[in-house]
Amino acid sequence: TTAFGPTVTTYVPQEPVPSPPDFVLWSFFNTMFCNVFCLGFIALSYSVKARDRKIAQDPAGAVAFGKTAKILNIVALCLGTITIVVFTVLLIIFSRTSPVVN
């Protein structure tokens, strides 16, 4: 004889795999505002490569490209900030020392 009753199934949820960061927005910001030596553009290209690797289910490649994009973004942001500060200081100094023509 067979017993008919409720079937019990167990469901074990998969833990979500953390998505590696691709830094696209930060790279875009650096491309627009802190693009010293084109580092912002280069970081943007590595960020896009990281996103492509993420979509292609290659987390190791995405992490490698993302790490490179992060380093380039840090350097671009630092150099861009230094450049903006230096030019602002020079502009203030030279605007105060220039003779006034009447």
Side-chain angles (χ1 to χ4, degrees):
T1 66
T2 57
F4 294 99
T7 305
V8 177
T9 58
T10 25
Y11 174 71
V12 179
Q14 279 187 323
E15 292 186 25
V17 177
S19 178
D22 51 22
F23 306 107
V24 171
L25 290 177
W26 189 13
S27 300
F28 186 72
F29 173 82
N30 283 337
T31 300
M32 292 294 116
F33 301 110
C34 299
N35 203 14
V36 179
F37 303 121
C38 294
L39 289 176
F41 180 73
I42 297 169
L44 183 62
S45 67
Y46 274 96
S47 295
V48 170
K49 288 180 183 182
R51 183 167 282 183
D52 289 345
R53 293 288 86 211
K54 218 173 12 176
I55 292 172
Q57 302 296 320
D58 179 16
V63 167
F65 284 123
K67 184 183 283 189
T68 304
K70 180 181 177 181
I71 292 169
L72 287 170
N73 278 320
I74 291 170
V75 173
L77 186 63
C78 291
L79 287 177
T81 303
I82 290 169
T83 302
I84 290 169
V85 168
V86 166
F87 278 128
T88 304
V89 168
L90 289 175
L91 181 68
I92 291 171
I93 290 171
F94 287 125
S95 68
R96 289 185 180 186
T97 60
S98 63
V100 178
V101 178
N102 289 332

